[in-house]
Amino acid sequence: MAEKYVYFFGDGKAEGKGGMKNLLGGKGANLAEMTAIGLPVPPGFTITTEVCTEFYKNNRRYPALLQEQVEENMARVEKLMGKTFGDPKKPLLVSVRSGARASMPGMMDTVLNLGLNDETVQGVIELSGDPRFSYDSYRRFVQMYSNVVMGMDGDVLEHLLEQMKEDRGVKLDTQLSADDLKKLVGLFKNKVKEELGKEFPDDPNEQLWGAIGAVFGSWMNPRANTYRKLNNIPSEWGTAVNVQSMVFGNMGDDCATGVAFTRNPSTGEHLFFGEFLVNAQGEDVVAGTRTPQPINKAGGDGSLPSMEEVMPQCYDQLMQVQVTLEKHYRDMQDIEFTIEKGKLYMLQTRSGKRTARAAIKIAVDMVKEGLISEKEGVLRVGPEQLDQILHPTLDPKAPKEVIAKGLPASPGAASGEVVFSADEAEEAAKLGLKVILVRIETSPEDIHGMHAAQGILTARGGMTSHAAVVARGMGKCCVAGCGDIKVDYRTQQFTARGGSVISKGDIITLDGSTGEVMKGQVPTVQPELTGDFGTLMKWVDKYRRLGVRTNADTPHDSKVARQFGAEGIGLCRTEHMFFEGERIMAVREMILAEDIEGRKRALSKILPMQKGDFLGIFREMKGLPVTIRLLDPPLHEFLPHTEAEIEELAKVMNVSVATLKNKVEFLHEFNPMLGHRGCRLGITFPEIYDMQVQAIMEAACELVKDEGYEIIPEIMIPLVSEVKELAILRGHAIRVADEVISRYGIKVKYLIGTMIELPRAALTADAIAREAEFFSFGTNDLTQTTYGLSRDDAGKFLPFYVEREILPNDPFVAIDQEGVGQLVKMGCEKGRQTRPDIKLGICGEHGGEPSSVIFCHNIGLDYVSCSPFRVPIARLAAAHATLLEELGR
Ligand code: PEP
Ligand code: MG
């Protein structure tokens, strides 16, 4: 059978299905599905994503059979509509839209009203009885087509439109007459010829193929490329093209167009929510140029009449449709509709993008409503998305100077310096500055700046404007449609209604949950972790197998992590404790001591401080497992750097500045990451580790003896590459630990284990397991040493590698499953061969990154350990791992 490139939908029948997203794109698959379940969808057809892939493979040529199939399907649409494409009497007009597998809002091209020329417009006048509407559609078509397909600068024709309004002494497009618009069409076409040196095409077929080519072409435009990169969408997927019979929301006051969500995408509230415009065409709502009216009374603030009031019958019908859609898809839907002369048409439905807060509420509510199972509920919330709600929100008690209020488009709080362009936002973020991007409105061209900014503020546009939709998708705080401010790009300032003038570089704070804009920086408070979040996390814990611990070095971090659900500490880095306050002086004394006696003297000053830290941490963790790593970094990191520091230390140590300088020089290393660090320090300066083991065990024994705790400390030796290193250090640790235990006269168990963070350790893990009761994979160092990439220097070129797709991700963020991951897998297998009950965990940064957590589950680790704020993310990812495994995915 010949290859099928085109799928028809119309009149209750569709060749495609909702499950065919890969082939038909999200929009095409859902148009087919909506048609098949009997919803009012204008007929049309979808050209598959395969055609797009072929198009790029074959030097922008289409498959041979495509033209024939498009013609056949156009004939089916014509038959259903009783109109003919290009017919001067009863012309069929179509829209041509993109639609990829994953939704990419506003990133690609669209052409509406296609099929119009000087002859067919007469037919439209006859059918509609409305010359003004007909010529308005025609002039919109010429504007859109010349811009999108022919590459003409959109401002040129916009300028002619403005001029015409000026000539006629009117302010609004709607005040121009049919004759004015007819004249404009002529002026537009002449201008196109003048600027581009070619005629505007009058042949509808030429228009159609031009538009199809432009939509496929837009798959590779810069903004689509950026969006794909940010959202990990492979370029091979391609987009589909949907050609659909036009319906008009701009034929008079009984016409409208709108977008809506079956539930509130910002809060998750179970309330039909949306916006519409009377007498407007498709893109007017999302473009943010006119402020739309609410769909229903409950969703508005009463300042504008809602659709529920103005068009009650259509509203009732739309209400029924949205209920049908949500039941059918069992998920919150984002829908687009048009009302033509009082008749409702559905143009699109898709799973709606939502904030983390909304995702959680919707998942929990839908489980309670019996629409989805608990497991589905858990899978509905993206682990990475949780990051949005784990961070602080504005302190409600803090004083704040509110200077303006807009729409609460995407929740969260953000403070930063004001910038007025996306490029500036990106530049500033590169320098490490926090910025708020302020625009009159955003367009898809601004996406890189929105990504770089902490928050986004726009003067125009509604809850479904570009800025709002994109910000919600990114989890960025956004205040949209803030009519209280006047933005002046020229002077790089905005003025708030009350008179405050904010210039570039001034700090403001946004509250995306209330829409408030504040002067200066407003303090924040910790997020609320109960309610729906708590319910969801209970289900998460029910379904996950993998344990989740935290990397924490202080009692405070330990406490935060426990609130986030950590089940112990997987990595307590003791070197951080060495830097604090006056400790650094004692540490420097220890490092620079001339002999062992001097070193011991200095260490005895550090011992009580270390012990105090461990007491605090053990207390916070209330008997949960705590893995403490002995000192790891190269000694020179602790050394004095400035002349003043050296002088001060020389005095304390009672040595000359010159002697000290010599010693500092001596300790200098060319490659500290591969130098005198980790267990190599323990081997050469055993008294350091001895002191640490003593501090750990004294703290544990004290709490067990005096405060009734049950503690099993896990002592971890870093950077082992050879089992003998571990054998020696384990011997020392046991000696010190047992000595402390017998001194306290009690029984305390402890474990001694190691980090696997060098390839040789993974390769010889069977031997190493003889000496280790647990392994913790240090995938930061393991990535560094497997790739031969310096952790400290890779930032200079790794982004380039990722951009060029030489590497799929930064391997320091998401574990490299094919390389580093294989070493981890091998390490586990070999470790278990020697010691079947060995405890296995991971404590590199990867322990909090969802794809890496899923990998850790799949290779059978016992737990992951990550920074406190990522603990809930890891818990959710661990639950996803089990559930995806059950689903065979
Ligand atoms: C690691 O190497 O993965 C690790 C956790 O240790 P650090 O980051 O302290 O080197
Ligand atoms: Mg390490």
Side-chain angles (χ1 to χ4, degrees):
M1 214 181 79
E3 191 77 51
K4 187 168 173 57
Y5 295 116
V6 180
Y7 286 73
F8 178 77
F9 55 86
D11 195 26
K13 290 183 216 57
E15 292 175 342
K17 281 201 197 59
M20 293 166 72
K21 282 205 171 72
N22 296 1
L23 189 66
L24 303 181
K27 186 186 287 248
N30 286 331
L31 284 171
E33 188 86 0
M34 283 201 291
T35 306
I37 61 172
L39 297 182
V41 176
F45 53 87
T46 304
I47 304 173
T48 66
T49 55
E50 263 171 28
V51 174
C52 185
T53 316
E54 294 278 308
F55 177 73
Y56 282 105
K57 249 198 239 151
N58 296 328
N59 243 338
R60 301 196 175 223
R61 272 200 311 273
Y62 297 121
L65 291 176
L66 182 66
Q67 184 167 351
E68 192 183 314
Q69 294 187 13
V70 165
E71 282 165 8
E72 267 168 39
N73 282 283
M74 188 63 105
R76 293 169 81 177
V77 179
E78 288 172 336
K79 198 160 164 222
L80 269 183
M81 297 299 292
K83 296 177 184 172
T84 308
F85 190 54
D87 179 19
K89 292 234 149 50
K90 283 186 158 187
L92 172 72
L93 303 187
V94 295
S95 64
V96 179
R97 296 172 203 256
S98 60
R101 204 193 283 193
S103 116
M104 295 171 57
M107 296 300 136
M108 288 180 290
D109 291 336
T110 291
V111 182
L112 303 178
N113 306 340
L114 191 136
L116 276 168
N117 57 30
D118 290 348
E119 290 176 354
T120 55
V121 74
Q122 297 308 325
V124 177
I125 295 173
E126 210 147 293
L127 290 175
S128 66
D130 186 346
R132 200 204 159 276
F133 151 76
S134 308
Y135 279 109
D136 191 43
S137 302
Y138 194 7
R139 73 94 193 156
R140 283 176 189 251
F141 167 60
V142 177
Q143 262 185 296
M144 211 170 200
Y145 190 94
S146 63
N147 175 240
V148 167
V149 183
M150 303 177 80
M152 171 112 171
D153 179 354
D155 290 344
V156 179
L157 300 190
E158 195 62 37
H159 180 70
L160 289 180
L161 176 67
E162 290 304 315
Q163 241 175 8
M164 174 69 86
K165 285 197 278 188
E166 223 175 280
D167 284 355
R168 299 292 182 264
V170 298
K171 281 220 167 68
L172 302 174
D173 301 3
T174 46
Q175 292 168 305
L176 292 173
S177 69
D179 275 346
D180 296 336
L181 293 163
K182 182 177 175 183
K183 197 164 166 214
L184 259 183
V185 170
L187 291 173
F188 280 0
K189 286 186 169 181
N190 289 342
K191 196 74 186 171
V192 170
K193 175 90 194 285
E194 186 186 316
E195 292 273 321
L196 303 179
K198 57 182 171 195
E199 297 282 352
F200 186 89
D202 281 330
D203 174 5
N205 264 312
E206 191 184 338
Q207 294 173 357
L208 177 67
W209 286 99
I212 292 172
V215 172
F216 281 137
S218 68
W219 176 249
M220 288 293 179
N221 73 26
R223 59 177 196 252
N225 285 340
T226 308
Y227 188 89
R228 275 201 299 276
K229 219 165 275 156
L230 291 175
N231 291 280
N232 283 328
I233 300 173
S235 56
E236 302 83 69
W237 283 4
T239 178
V241 176
N242 298 291
V243 179
Q244 196 176 13
S245 172
M246 281 297 301
V247 283
F248 295 95
N250 58 338
M251 258 194 213
D253 287 343
D254 53 356
C255 301
T257 187
V259 295
F261 294 88
T262 55
R263 303 185 188 215
N264 186 313
S266 198
T267 63
E269 192 188 359
H270 191 172
L271 181 73
F272 186 41
F273 175 91
E275 295 166 332
F276 84 118
L277 281 170
V278 176
N279 199 6
Q281 189 159 34
E283 310 305 299
D284 294 347
V285 182
V286 265
T289 38
R290 265 168 75 183
T291 298
Q293 295 160 241
I295 288 270
N296 41 23
K297 279 183 267 183
D301 59 5
S303 61
L304 292 168
S306 67
M307 181 173 169
E308 191 179 4
E309 293 153 298
V310 198
M311 297 181 159
Q313 269 157 359
C314 288
Y315 177 74
D316 285 349
Q317 201 192 345
L318 186 62
M319 218 23 207
Q320 276 168 22
V321 168
Q322 69 97 6
V323 171
T324 306
L325 280 172
E326 212 184 60
K327 283 224 172 87
H328 183 76
Y329 285 98
R330 300 162 64 245
D331 195 5
M332 186 266 270
Q333 297 294 297
D334 166 355
I335 60 183
E336 285 180 23
F337 64 90
T338 283
I339 295 163
E340 182 181 296
K341 301 234 165 266
K343 183 165 167 21
L344 174 73
Y345 291 95
M346 300 307 299
L347 300 186
Q348 166 148 310
T349 189
R350 59 186 170 195
S351 279
K353 291 207 183 301
R354 61 204 81 176
T355 62
R357 191 168 139 218
I360 294 167
K361 176 153 176 58
I362 291 171
V364 171
D365 283 354
M366 284 191 169
V367 171
K368 287 186 183 155
E369 289 159 26
L371 210 54
I372 57 174
S373 67
E374 269 177 28
K375 290 180 178 179
E376 284 173 305
V378 167
L379 285 170
R380 287 284 167 86
V381 183
E384 201 53 66
Q385 229 188 351
L386 281 190
D387 199 32
Q388 286 174 33
I389 56 149
L390 300 177
H391 291 282
T393 49
L394 289 186
D395 180 354
K397 290 192 217 88
K400 54 187 186 184
E401 188 185 340
V402 178
I403 54 170
K405 192 153 189 260
L407 299 170
S410 181
S415 299
E417 292 182 18
V418 167
V419 294
F420 290 96
S421 80
D423 288 344
E424 277 175 310
E426 195 178 51
E427 284 305 309
K430 272 190 199 148
L431 297 174
L433 296 175
K434 291 188 176 358
V435 295
I436 304 287
L437 177 61
V438 181
R439 302 283 299 163
I440 296 174
E441 64 206 17
T442 64
S443 78
E445 270 92 29
D446 295 324
I447 186 143
H448 60 294
M450 297 173 75
H451 185 67
Q454 303 294 312
I456 298 132
L457 169 62
T458 67
R460 273 209 295 241
M463 288 293 277
T464 46
S465 64
H466 176 266
V469 171
V470 174
R472 274 200 296 274
M474 286 180 178
K476 283 256 144 100
C477 160
C478 174
V479 174
C482 184
D484 284 356
I485 64 164
K486 240 203 166 105
V487 178
D488 188 340
Y489 292 139
R490 208 174 30 85
T491 57
Q492 296 275 290
Q493 283 181 332
F494 75 79
T495 313
R497 186 167 300 208
S500 301
V501 178
I502 304 289
S503 305
K504 182 182 164 185
D506 289 351
I507 294 194
I508 60 166
T509 298
L510 303 180
D511 186 340
S513 312
T514 61
E516 285 173 333
V517 181
M518 288 141 281
K519 216 173 185 169
Q521 180 139 11
V522 180
T524 51
V525 287
Q526 292 305 324
E528 189 59 65
L529 299 176
T530 51
D532 289 330
F533 177 82
T535 308
L536 180 84
M537 293 313 280
K538 264 201 204 103
W539 298 335
V540 161
D541 291 343
K542 191 154 112 191
Y543 296 116
R544 75 185 156 93
R545 175 191 64 72
L546 207 55
V548 178
R549 297 195 192 180
T550 190
N551 295 354
D553 316 330
T554 63
H556 173 261
D557 283 0
S558 309
K559 186 171 172 182
V560 171
R562 265 183 49 84
Q563 283 163 353
F564 283 137
E567 298 161 304
I569 291 183
L571 174 65
C572 171
R573 291 179 166 102
T574 51
E575 58 271 16
H576 291 177
M577 302 172 171
F578 280 38
F579 279 108
E580 249 171 54
E582 55 205 272
R583 299 178 185 197
I584 187 71
M585 284 301 271
V587 173
R588 286 173 178 163
E589 252 186 90
M590 184 264 296
I591 296 169
L592 297 167
E594 283 300 319
D595 50 25
I596 186 162
E597 288 315 311
R599 221 161 21 244
K600 280 195 170 158
R601 228 181 1 259
L603 282 167
S604 67
K605 290 189 199 166
I606 304 172
L607 178 83
M609 304 188 227
Q610 281 258 281
K611 185 171 151 188
D613 294 326
F614 296 136
L615 280 169
I617 290 172
F618 283 140
R619 279 203 185 98
E620 280 303 341
M621 296 315 286
K622 305 200 180 351
L624 292 172
V626 175
T627 307
I628 297 165
R629 178 179 76 185
L630 304 184
L631 195 67
D632 179 22
L635 289 181
H636 82 113
E637 280 194 13
F638 301 105
L639 292 178
H641 300 294
T642 62
E643 287 286 328
E645 280 175 350
I646 294 182
E647 275 171 30
E648 191 188 351
L649 187 64
K651 257 192 224 135
V652 174
M653 290 179 67
N654 203 15
V655 294
S656 74
V657 170
T659 314
L660 207 53
K661 272 194 178 158
N662 270 344
K663 186 90 193 196
V664 169
E665 200 103 305
F666 173 75
L667 283 169
H668 173 80
E669 289 180 325
F670 285 106
N671 240 329
M673 273 292 180
L674 301 178
H676 195 182
R677 62 174 280 219
C679 67
R680 299 159 196 169
L681 283 177
I683 296 276
T684 47
F685 299 118
E687 53 292 348
I688 302 178
Y689 279 12
D690 287 355
M691 178 279 288
Q692 292 196 290
V693 174
Q694 186 183 336
I696 295 167
M697 293 311 296
E698 284 186 4
C701 289
E702 222 164 280
L703 291 179
V704 171
K705 192 166 179 181
D706 303 339
E707 297 181 32
Y709 277 79
E710 277 180 44
I711 299 174
I712 305 178
E714 300 178 357
I715 298 167
M716 181 153 79
I717 294 168
L719 216 78
V720 163
S721 59
E722 158 58 47
V723 64
K724 278 192 205 134
E725 293 173 312
L726 185 59
I728 295 169
L729 294 171
R730 178 178 152 87
H732 294 181
I734 290 175
R735 175 178 46 73
V736 176
D738 288 351
E739 186 275 314
V740 173
I741 293 170
S742 70
R743 186 149 43 86
Y744 278 82
I746 47 166
K747 275 209 171 88
V748 173
K749 259 188 76 175
Y750 59 92
L751 302 179
I752 296 178
T754 186
M755 293 190 73
I756 302 287
E757 48 188 342
L758 294 171
R760 194 176 189 283
L763 292 165
T764 60
D766 43 352
I768 291 179
R770 288 201 303 269
E771 302 290 340
E773 285 155 301
F774 64 87
F775 284 170
S776 180
F777 290 89
T779 43
N780 301 334
D781 274 311
L782 196 56
T783 301
Q784 157 166 272
T785 48
T786 302
Y787 272 99
L789 264 181
S790 156
R791 278 162 78 170
D792 302 326
D793 301 318
K796 294 211 178 88
F797 53 88
L798 261 187
F800 186 79
Y801 268 56
V802 176
E803 207 163 286
R804 290 287 177 94
E805 297 182 15
I806 298 170
L807 293 176
N809 292 300
D810 181 336
F812 289 108
V813 175
I815 197 163
D816 155 45
Q817 300 186 12
E818 287 155 27
V820 178
Q822 291 310 304
L823 283 172
V824 177
K825 186 164 176 258
M826 180 198 290
C828 291
E829 287 162 2
K830 285 185 171 254
R832 284 201 172 115
Q833 264 167 34
T834 305
R835 197 188 282 266
D837 64 343
I838 190 166
K839 267 209 234 185
L840 300 172
I842 177 179
C843 63
E845 286 309 300
H846 306 93
E849 190 281 323
S851 72
S852 314
V853 173
I854 292 175
F855 178 77
C856 291
H857 168 95
N858 292 340
I859 61 168
L861 287 186
D862 296 315
Y863 69 88
V864 296
S865 186
C866 56
S867 61
F869 275 92
R870 298 199 74 84
V871 166
I873 297 170
R875 284 161 70 198
L876 179 54
H880 277 209
T882 327
L883 299 177
L884 293 173
E885 190 176 57
E886 271 179 32
L887 292 169
R889 282 195 241 148

